[in-house]
Amino acid sequence: AQSVTQPDIHITVSEGASLELRCNYSYGATPYLFWYVQSPGQGLQLLLKYFSGDTLVQGIKGFEAEFKRSQSSFNLRKPSVHWSDAAEYFCAVSDYNFNKFYFGSGTKLNVKP
Amino acid sequence: GAGVSQSPSNKVTEKGKDVELRCDPISGHTALYWYRQSLGQGLEFLIYFQGNSAPDKSGLPSDRFSAERTGGSVSTLTIQRTQQEDSAVYLCASRFKVGGPYEQYFGPGTRLTVT
């Protein structure tokens, strides 16, 4: 069955430091992968997505993610975190026809000044 | 154009009462989803509508939960005889079905508190 694991529930980084949020998925076929961000009291906003092609994808707000099939991972990175990046981040995988989306339990990011 | 909208933004209800939550998807989006997000949890899939096809109700947790989508647009999620464990944020999302983009666009959610 499809599933997404985000092993880190909370992460705290200092402003200006680099960030990597982990995501591992379980899916039998070629996955379609997404990262969303949720600010307090808001819905989810798409940061980036991977369907095929270049395994390093660029998204909004300076985020990028790398698809590694051998590790079943799709980790999110940012070279220099800003205080406004404090939010909750969700990784998701979709089935082949985009009917069903499976979300991880989220990683809450705190940014220290 | 406008994004996905949901109403009310907050709802407090007494245990045992029925509630209705509304979702207005983005115009032209034929696929619509409801999710539940409990405190500290990820998104729990509830139901999926696609055009005129029968909805995928496989995520509804009990028969107290139901949803409909009128005219292929607005959707209402109804919870009957609410219980305290129903307290959560209910998120609606929509997307294009044909031609993409295929990612979901989310509304701001309805925070439901059952007292």
Side-chain angles (χ1 to χ4, degrees):
Chain A
Q2 296 88 339
S3 66
V4 177
T5 302
Q6 293 180 247
D8 304 305
I9 299 173
H10 286 100
I11 282 185
T12 298
V13 300
S14 298
E15 190 169 16
S18 63
L19 171 70
E20 183 168 26
L21 302 183
R22 295 183 290 164
C23 172
N24 292 96
Y25 67 89
S26 172
Y27 187 68
T30 300
Y32 299 135
L33 296 158
F34 306 82
W35 274 100
Y36 285 86
V37 60
Q38 185 180 32
S39 298
Q42 304 294 315
L44 277 69
Q45 180 186 19
L46 181 71
L47 284 176
L48 46 78
K49 61 190 177 187
Y50 172 77
F51 291 170
S52 65
D54 192 346
T55 57
L56 184 64
V57 293
Q58 304 296 321
I60 62 171
K61 305 185 181 187
F63 285 92
E64 65 178 27
E66 186 170 12
F67 169 59
K68 292 185 177 180
R69 184 185 298 275
S70 61
Q71 298 177 19
S72 298
S73 70
F74 189 55
N75 294 349
L76 182 71
R77 302 194 293 247
K78 187 169 184 177
S80 177
V81 169
H82 187 262
W83 64 266
S84 60
D85 294 325
E88 191 158 18
Y89 292 80
F90 292 91
C91 181
V93 64
S94 167
D95 62 9
Y96 72 96
N97 57 7
F98 304 97
N99 283 341
K100 281 277 191 70
F101 291 75
Y102 302 88
F103 286 81
S105 54
T107 297
K108 196 161 189 177
L109 174 66
N110 294 319
V111 180
K112 290 191 302 186
Chain B
V4 178
S5 62
Q6 294 186 244
S7 61
S9 55
N10 280 285
K11 176 72 176 178
V12 180
T13 190
E14 292 180 352
K15 178 181 171 181
K17 296 282 180 69
D18 298 351
V19 295
E20 284 189 352
L21 312 179
R22 177 187 168 106
C23 172
D24 279 275
I26 293 173
S27 177
H29 282 192
T30 57
L32 186 148
Y33 302 75
W34 283 99
Y35 294 90
R36 179 168 68 177
Q37 186 177 25
S38 302
L39 189 62
Q41 303 296 313
L43 276 68
E44 176 189 4
F45 165 78
L46 296 177
I47 189 168
Y48 161 55
F49 294 91
Q50 169 43 39
N52 296 321
S53 303
D56 178 347
K57 304 180 182 180
S58 60
L60 294 178
S62 76
D63 58 7
R64 297 187 295 105
F65 287 73
S66 62
E68 62 177 20
R69 189 177 185 191
T70 53
S73 181
V74 171
S75 177
T76 303
L77 177 69
T78 301
I79 309 174
Q80 296 179 308
R81 306 180 302 281
T82 51
Q83 303 295 312
Q84 288 187 329
E85 61 262 29
D86 299 334
S87 295
V89 175
Y90 290 82
L91 292 167
C92 174
S94 69
R95 68 170 182 85
F96 287 108
K97 175 62 176 177
V98 177
Y102 298 108
E103 62 265 23
Q104 297 175 311
Y105 293 78
F106 283 83
T110 294
R111 182 175 297 278
L112 174 66
T113 303
V114 182
T115 61

